[in-house]
C-alpha cells in the first residue's frame, strides 16, 4: 500500500491556516499581520489543491497573495502608521468580539454531513472550469466584470479627489 | 484523496470566527479589511469543499466570483482610507465617530 501523503498534508495545512489566521488578527505591527495573512493564503492554496480545485489554488496565489495582499502592503507603507505600536490594538469592547467569534466557531459543532461520495472526485481541471464560467455562469461573470469596473472608477474618484480640486 | 467534508466545514467555521473576531476587535482599519479577507477565504474553502463533495464545479466558479468581489472591496475600501487619510492622518477607527450616537 502506498503511503498516503495527502491526508497528513491536509491536516497540517488546516492547522497552519488556523494558527496563522489567529496570529494575523492579534499581531500589533500591521506588516507582521500582512505577512501572517500571506502564510494563511499559501496554506489555503494548498487546501484548494487537495480539494481538487487546481485553478482556484493558482488564482488564490496569483490574485489574492500576489495582487490584493501586495496592494494592502503598499497602503500600509503609504500611510504613516509609526504610532501604531503605541496604541492599544483592540478596542475596549474586545470581549464582546471574542464572544461573537466563539459563537461563530461553535457552528463547527453543528456540522453534519450526509455521506455522499461524488461520482467524479476530480472535477477541478481548467477546461471544465472555463466551460462552466462561460456557459451557465456567463451572466454572473459579466456582472462581476461590471462590478470590478465600478470599483476601479470608484477607487480613482475617491483617492484622486485632491488633485482634481487643486 | 478526498478530503473529509466535515473537517473542511469545521476549518471554514474556525477561520470565519477568527476573521469575525478580528473585524470586531481591531481598531486599525487596514487590519479590519484584512479580517474581512480572512472571512472571505473561509467562505472559499467551504465552497471548494462543497464543489468536491457534490462532484460539480459550481462551488469553484462561485469562489472565483468571491475572489473578484474581494478585489473590488479592497480597492474601494483602501481608496476610502486614502481619502480619509488626507483629512486626518492614521488608520484608527476611533477617529471616525461623527455618525456615532
Amino acid at each position: 500500500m502506498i503511503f498516503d501523503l495527502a491526508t497528513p498534508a491536509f491536516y497540517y495545512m488546516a492547522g497552519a491556516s488556523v494558527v496563522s489566521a489567529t496570529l494575523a488578527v492579534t499581531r500589533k505591527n500591521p506588516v507582521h499581520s500582512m505577512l501572517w495573512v500571506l502564510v494563511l493564503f499559501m496554506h489555503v492554496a494548498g487546501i484548494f489543491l487537495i480539494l481538487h480545485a487546481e485553478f482556484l489554488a493558482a488564482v488564490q496565489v496569483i490574485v489574492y497573495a500576489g495582487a490584493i495582499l501586495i496592494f494592502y502592503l503598499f497602503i500600509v507603507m503609504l500611510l504613516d502608521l509609526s504610532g501604531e505600536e503605541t496604541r492599544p490594538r483592540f478596542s475596549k469592547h474586545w470581549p464582546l468580539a471574542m464572544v461573537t467569534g466563539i459563537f461563530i466557531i461553535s457552528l463547527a459543532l453543528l456540522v453534519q454531513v450526509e455521506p455522499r461520495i461524488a461520482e467524479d472526485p476530480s472535477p477541478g481541471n481548467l477546461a471544465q472550469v472555463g466551460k462552466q464560467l462561460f456557459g451557465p455562469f456567463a451572466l454572473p461573470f459579466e456582472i462581476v466584470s461590471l462590478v470590478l469596473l465600478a470599483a476601479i472608477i470608484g477607487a480613482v474618484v475617491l483617492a484622486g479627489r485632491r488633485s482634481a480640486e487643486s | 484523496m478526498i478530503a473529509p467534508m466535515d473537517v473542511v466545514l469545521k476549518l471554514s467555521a474556525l477561520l470565519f470566527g477568527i476573521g469575525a473576531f478580528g473585524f470586531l476587535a481591531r481598531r486599525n482599519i487596514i487590519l479590519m479589511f484584512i479580517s474581512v479577507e480572512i472571512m472571505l477565504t473561509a467562505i472559499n474553502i467551504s465552497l471548494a469543499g462543497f464543489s468536491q463533495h457534490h462532484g460539480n464545479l459550481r462551488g469553484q466558479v462561485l469562489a472565483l466570483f468571491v475572489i473578484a468581489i474581494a478585489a473590488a472591496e479592497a480597492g474601494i475600501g483602501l481608496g476610502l482610507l486614502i481619502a480619509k487619510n488626507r483629512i486626518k492622518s492614521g488608520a484608527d477607527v476611533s477617529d471616525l465617530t461623527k455618525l456615532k450616537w
Side-chain angles (χ1 to χ4, degrees):
Chain A
M1 180 189 159
I2 304 167
F3 177 64
D4 183 16
L5 197 63
T7 307
F10 174 72
Y11 284 103
Y12 157 70
M13 281 162 186
S17 308
V18 173
V19 170
S20 54
T22 312
L23 284 169
V25 298
T26 52
R27 289 306 92 191
K28 205 157 207 177
N29 190 330
V31 178
H32 293 175
S33 279
M34 299 289 161
L35 295 177
W36 280 116
V37 172
L38 180 64
V39 173
L40 167 71
F41 284 170
M42 290 300 172
H43 283 98
V44 170
I47 290 172
F48 285 158
L49 275 182
I50 291 175
L51 291 172
H52 300 289
E54 290 90 359
F55 181 59
L56 204 52
V59 167
Q60 176 85 13
V61 173
I62 296 169
V63 176
Y64 240 134
I68 298 181
L69 207 63
I70 299 302
F71 182 42
Y72 275 101
L73 268 175
F74 271 129
I75 299 294
V76 170
M77 290 168 185
L78 270 177
L79 304 181
D80 188 19
L81 299 179
S82 52
E84 187 62 37
E85 302 209 23
T86 59
R87 296 182 179 201
R89 68 185 94 174
F90 295 136
S91 66
K92 61 177 185 286
H93 299 302
W94 70 267
L96 274 175
M98 182 82 91
V99 169
T100 311
I102 288 171
F103 177 71
I104 291 173
I105 287 170
S106 68
L107 292 178
L109 300 173
L110 299 175
V111 170
Q112 284 177 342
V113 181
E114 52 177 312
R116 175 173 175 178
I117 298 299
E119 306 90 49
D120 180 13
S122 60
N125 67 73
L126 181 53
Q128 294 299 320
V129 175
K131 276 177 189 157
Q132 286 278 315
L133 206 53
F134 291 103
F137 287 93
L139 182 64
F141 184 74
E142 298 297 332
I143 293 172
V144 162
S145 71
L146 272 180
V147 168
L148 279 173
L149 179 66
I152 293 168
I153 295 171
V156 170
V157 168
L158 285 170
R161 185 169 288 162
R162 166 71 55 94
S163 60
E165 281 170 358
S166 62
Chain B
M1 176 222 178
I2 294 185
M5 188 59 201
D6 55 336
V7 180
V8 173
L9 284 178
K10 280 171 185 162
L11 171 67
S12 176
L14 256 172
L15 285 179
F16 196 94
I18 292 168
F21 164 72
F23 180 77
L24 294 170
R26 293 302 297 234
R27 301 168 50 123
N28 188 322
I29 297 173
I30 298 171
L31 287 165
M32 287 170 73
F33 280 132
I34 276 292
S35 302
V36 174
E37 303 288 341
I38 293 174
M39 286 197 274
L40 291 171
T41 305
I43 299 300
N44 278 348
I45 291 173
S46 254
L47 287 171
F50 280 125
S51 180
Q52 182 215 38
H53 187 63
H54 291 290
N56 61 36
L57 286 166
R58 288 182 197 145
Q60 291 188 26
V61 175
L62 215 55
L64 288 176
F65 292 154
V66 171
I67 290 178
I69 299 298
E73 173 254 323
I76 293 290
L78 295 177
L80 277 172
L81 184 56
I82 297 261
K84 178 248 167 211
N85 199 51
R86 296 210 181 95
I87 300 166
K88 193 169 192 312
S89 179
D92 200 318
V93 277
S94 54
D95 296 342
L96 306 169
T97 52
K98 206 161 248 181
L99 288 177
K100 201 173 165 189
W101 52 276

Short mmCIF file of all heavy atoms in Angstrom, two decimals, chain A residues 1-2 5 17 25 31 35 43 50-51 57 63 74 81 93 101 111 128-130 138 142-143 151-152 159:
data_model
loop_
_atom_site.label_atom_id
_atom_site.label_comp_id
_atom_site.label_asym_id
_atom_site.label_seq_id
_atom_site.Cartn_x
_atom_site.Cartn_y
_atom_site.Cartn_z
N MET A 1 0.84 -1.19 0.00
CA MET A 1 0.00 0.00 0.00
C MET A 1 0.87 1.24 0.00
O MET A 1 1.84 1.36 0.74
CB MET A 1 -0.89 -0.03 1.26
CG MET A 1 -1.80 1.16 1.37
SD MET A 1 -2.61 1.21 2.98
CE MET A 1 -3.06 2.92 3.05
N ILE A 2 0.53 2.16 -0.87
CA ILE A 2 1.30 3.40 -0.98
C ILE A 2 0.94 4.30 0.19
O ILE A 2 -0.23 4.43 0.55
CB ILE A 2 0.99 4.11 -2.31
CG1 ILE A 2 1.26 3.16 -3.47
CG2 ILE A 2 1.83 5.36 -2.45
CD1 ILE A 2 0.71 3.65 -4.78
N LEU A 5 0.23 10.57 1.32
CA LEU A 5 0.81 11.81 1.82
C LEU A 5 -0.22 12.92 1.92
O LEU A 5 -0.03 13.89 2.66
CB LEU A 5 1.96 12.24 0.89
CG LEU A 5 2.95 13.26 1.45
CD1 LEU A 5 3.66 12.68 2.64
CD2 LEU A 5 3.93 13.66 0.39
N SER A 17 -3.26 26.96 8.85
CA SER A 17 -4.16 28.06 8.49
C SER A 17 -4.75 28.70 9.73
O SER A 17 -4.77 29.93 9.86
CB SER A 17 -5.31 27.55 7.61
OG SER A 17 -4.84 26.83 6.55
N VAL A 25 -4.65 38.21 13.19
CA VAL A 25 -5.56 39.17 13.79
C VAL A 25 -5.08 39.66 15.14
O VAL A 25 -5.67 40.58 15.70
CB VAL A 25 -7.00 38.62 13.93
CG1 VAL A 25 -7.58 38.30 12.59
CG2 VAL A 25 -7.04 37.44 14.84
N VAL A 31 2.40 45.21 9.40
CA VAL A 31 3.16 44.49 8.38
C VAL A 31 3.31 43.02 8.77
O VAL A 31 3.21 42.11 7.93
CB VAL A 31 4.53 45.17 8.17
CG1 VAL A 31 5.35 44.41 7.16
CG2 VAL A 31 4.35 46.58 7.72
N LEU A 35 2.07 39.66 6.71
CA LEU A 35 2.90 38.50 6.37
C LEU A 35 2.26 37.22 6.88
O LEU A 35 2.33 36.18 6.21
CB LEU A 35 4.31 38.68 6.93
CG LEU A 35 5.06 39.86 6.29
CD1 LEU A 35 6.41 40.05 6.92
CD2 LEU A 35 5.22 39.65 4.80
N HIS A 43 -1.24 28.49 2.58
CA HIS A 43 -1.75 27.21 3.07
C HIS A 43 -3.15 26.93 2.53
O HIS A 43 -3.49 25.79 2.24
CB HIS A 43 -1.73 27.18 4.59
CG HIS A 43 -0.36 26.95 5.14
ND1 HIS A 43 0.43 27.98 5.59
CD2 HIS A 43 0.35 25.82 5.29
CE1 HIS A 43 1.59 27.47 5.99
NE2 HIS A 43 1.57 26.18 5.83
N ILE A 50 -5.67 20.11 -2.54
CA ILE A 50 -6.13 18.82 -2.04
C ILE A 50 -7.61 18.63 -2.35
O ILE A 50 -8.07 17.51 -2.61
CB ILE A 50 -5.83 18.70 -0.54
CG1 ILE A 50 -4.32 18.59 -0.38
CG2 ILE A 50 -6.49 17.50 0.08
CD1 ILE A 50 -3.85 18.59 1.03
N LEU A 51 -8.39 19.73 -2.40
CA LEU A 51 -9.80 19.64 -2.74
C LEU A 51 -10.02 19.56 -4.26
O LEU A 51 -11.14 19.74 -4.72
CB LEU A 51 -10.55 20.85 -2.19
CG LEU A 51 -10.70 20.92 -0.67
CD1 LEU A 51 -11.27 22.26 -0.26
CD2 LEU A 51 -11.59 19.81 -0.18
N ALA A 57 -6.60 27.25 -6.72
CA ALA A 57 -5.34 27.38 -5.98
C ALA A 57 -4.42 28.37 -6.68
O ALA A 57 -3.80 29.24 -6.04
CB ALA A 57 -4.67 26.02 -5.86
N VAL A 63 -3.80 36.03 -7.56
CA VAL A 63 -4.63 37.21 -7.36
C VAL A 63 -4.65 37.63 -5.89
O VAL A 63 -4.41 38.79 -5.56
CB VAL A 63 -6.06 36.95 -7.88
CG1 VAL A 63 -6.94 38.13 -7.58
CG2 VAL A 63 -6.03 36.68 -9.35
N PHE A 74 1.22 47.94 0.19
CA PHE A 74 1.54 49.28 -0.30
C PHE A 74 0.82 50.34 0.51
O PHE A 74 1.40 51.37 0.86
CB PHE A 74 1.13 49.40 -1.77
CG PHE A 74 2.21 48.99 -2.74
CD1 PHE A 74 1.96 48.09 -3.75
CD2 PHE A 74 3.48 49.53 -2.63
CE1 PHE A 74 2.94 47.72 -4.62
CE2 PHE A 74 4.47 49.16 -3.50
CZ PHE A 74 4.20 48.26 -4.50
N LEU A 81 2.07 54.90 9.66
CA LEU A 81 1.50 54.26 10.83
C LEU A 81 2.55 54.08 11.91
O LEU A 81 2.60 53.07 12.59
CB LEU A 81 0.90 52.90 10.46
CG LEU A 81 -0.24 52.94 9.45
CD1 LEU A 81 -0.71 51.54 9.15
CD2 LEU A 81 -1.38 53.78 9.97
N HIS A 93 -14.13 47.01 23.60
CA HIS A 93 -15.21 46.02 23.59
C HIS A 93 -14.74 44.67 23.09
O HIS A 93 -15.55 43.88 22.62
CB HIS A 93 -16.36 46.52 22.73
CG HIS A 93 -16.95 47.79 23.21
ND1 HIS A 93 -17.49 47.92 24.48
CD2 HIS A 93 -17.07 49.00 22.65
CE1 HIS A 93 -17.91 49.16 24.64
NE2 HIS A 93 -17.66 49.84 23.55
N GLY A 101 -17.04 35.80 18.00
CA GLY A 101 -16.18 34.87 17.28
C GLY A 101 -16.38 33.45 17.75
O GLY A 101 -16.50 32.52 16.94
N VAL A 111 -21.86 20.76 12.53
CA VAL A 111 -21.66 20.22 11.17
C VAL A 111 -22.13 18.77 11.11
O VAL A 111 -21.73 17.94 11.91
CB VAL A 111 -20.18 20.31 10.79
CG1 VAL A 111 -19.91 19.53 9.52
CG2 VAL A 111 -19.78 21.74 10.60
N GLN A 128 -12.76 22.40 -17.68
CA GLN A 128 -14.12 22.29 -17.15
C GLN A 128 -14.55 23.59 -16.47
O GLN A 128 -15.70 24.03 -16.63
CB GLN A 128 -14.18 21.13 -16.15
CG GLN A 128 -13.95 19.77 -16.77
CD GLN A 128 -15.01 19.45 -17.81
OE1 GLN A 128 -16.17 19.75 -17.61
NE2 GLN A 128 -14.59 18.88 -18.92
N VAL A 129 -13.64 24.20 -15.71
CA VAL A 129 -13.97 25.47 -15.05
C VAL A 129 -14.30 26.52 -16.10
O VAL A 129 -15.26 27.29 -15.97
CB VAL A 129 -12.80 25.94 -14.15
CG1 VAL A 129 -13.10 27.31 -13.57
CG2 VAL A 129 -12.58 24.95 -13.04
N GLY A 130 -13.53 26.56 -17.19
CA GLY A 130 -13.78 27.54 -18.24
C GLY A 130 -15.13 27.33 -18.90
O GLY A 130 -15.86 28.29 -19.17
N ALA A 138 -22.23 32.63 -17.47
CA ALA A 138 -21.75 33.75 -18.29
C ALA A 138 -22.31 35.08 -17.81
O ALA A 138 -21.57 36.07 -17.73
CB ALA A 138 -22.12 33.51 -19.76
N GLU A 142 -20.18 38.37 -16.43
CA GLU A 142 -20.21 39.74 -16.96
C GLU A 142 -20.55 40.74 -15.88
O GLU A 142 -20.01 41.86 -15.84
CB GLU A 142 -21.23 39.83 -18.10
CG GLU A 142 -20.92 38.94 -19.29
CD GLU A 142 -19.62 39.32 -19.96
OE1 GLU A 142 -19.24 40.49 -19.88
OE2 GLU A 142 -18.98 38.43 -20.54
N ILE A 143 -21.46 40.36 -14.97
CA ILE A 143 -21.83 41.28 -13.89
C ILE A 143 -20.64 41.55 -12.99
O ILE A 143 -20.40 42.68 -12.57
CB ILE A 143 -23.03 40.72 -13.10
CG1 ILE A 143 -24.27 40.71 -13.98
CG2 ILE A 143 -23.30 41.54 -11.86
CD1 ILE A 143 -25.44 40.00 -13.37
N ALA A 151 -15.64 49.41 -9.36
CA ALA A 151 -14.68 49.54 -8.25
C ALA A 151 -13.46 50.33 -8.70
O ALA A 151 -12.94 51.16 -7.95
CB ALA A 151 -14.28 48.16 -7.75
N ILE A 152 -12.99 50.09 -9.93
CA ILE A 152 -11.83 50.84 -10.43
C ILE A 152 -12.15 52.32 -10.50
O ILE A 152 -11.40 53.17 -10.00
CB ILE A 152 -11.41 50.31 -11.81
CG1 ILE A 152 -10.89 48.89 -11.72
CG2 ILE A 152 -10.35 51.19 -12.44
CD1 ILE A 152 -10.74 48.23 -13.06
N ALA A 159 -9.71 58.26 -4.36
CA ALA A 159 -8.33 58.50 -3.97
C ALA A 159 -7.72 59.69 -4.69
O ALA A 159 -6.75 60.25 -4.23
CB ALA A 159 -7.49 57.24 -4.22
#
